[in-house]
Amino acid sequence: MSVVKSPLSDQDRKIVGDALQGALVDLVDLSLVAKQVHWNVVGPRFRSVHLQLDEVVSSARVHTDTVAERASALGIAPDGRAETVAKTSGIDAIGGGWTKDTEAVRTLVEALGAVIIRMRERIRATAEPDPVTQDILIGLTGDLEKHHWMFQAENA
């Protein structure tokens, strides 16, 4: 049941809904991974990596809300429940405990890279059915790519 009438056809709504749901899940998981690493990072570059991780968390959370609200505006119920995120995220699971600063950077480079690849697929998928959603995905992918670059530069 949808309480909001979508301007999209059923077929386009399915394509866009899948893209938005996937983006939502990846962004929720990215924020959780970055925060987990943020709490546990240690090493000589602790402070700079610790602060950089919080920037990723903030960015992911802002984009999460934008994506979820876009889905809602199209009559698609967003699902950011822990169970859904755990089952469908494209980010590899991370270990617990203290994380050396170099490992923290590597973890974020990999997580961001995985999300970016999936976002670019969603950008392509939404080009025709919904350029508005595509625009949102393009903007957030640009932000993620900036974080990806900055973390890669940490270990250059």
Side-chain angles (χ1 to χ4, degrees):
M1 173 185 87
S2 177
V3 296
V4 177
K5 177 70 175 136
S6 175
L8 302 177
S9 70
D10 288 345
Q11 180 181 358
D12 288 350
R13 187 172 169 268
K14 169 79 169 106
I15 293 167
V16 173
D18 289 349
L20 288 168
Q21 180 58 38
L24 175 66
V25 164
D26 283 350
L27 290 166
V28 169
D29 200 21
L30 179 62
S31 71
L32 294 172
V33 166
K35 194 49 114 168
Q36 179 65 27
V37 175
H38 165 89
W39 291 324
N40 290 286
V41 65
V42 294
R45 293 182 297 160
F46 162 79
R47 182 158 173 74
S48 64
V49 173
H50 182 79
L51 294 173
Q52 195 173 358
L53 287 161
D54 256 351
E55 291 173 5
V56 172
V57 171
S58 294
S59 181
R61 287 180 178 167
V62 166
H63 291 306
T64 297
D65 200 45
T66 300
V67 165
E69 289 179 355
R70 178 65 184 158
S72 293
L74 296 174
I76 302 158
D79 185 357
R81 296 172 299 156
E83 177 183 3
T84 302
V85 173
K87 286 181 180 176
T88 60
S89 172
I91 300 174
D92 290 337
I94 62 168
W98 302 115
T99 305
K100 183 87 172 105
D101 53 4
T102 53
E103 179 64 17
V105 169
R106 187 194 62 73
T107 297
L108 261 290
V109 167
E110 289 177 5
L112 285 160
V115 172
I116 289 164
I117 287 168
R118 289 165 54 110
M119 289 299 179
R120 286 185 162 274
E121 292 167 1
R122 295 174 185 122
I123 289 167
R124 284 188 287 281
T126 57
E128 182 64 31
D130 188 24
V132 175
T133 295
Q134 183 194 42
D135 186 55
I136 290 168
L137 297 174
I138 289 169
L140 74 86
T141 302
D143 285 349
L144 296 177
E145 288 177 345
K146 181 177 178 183
H147 290 301
H148 190 241
W149 156 59
M150 290 183 168
F151 272 105
Q152 288 181 81
E154 284 281 340
N155 277 348

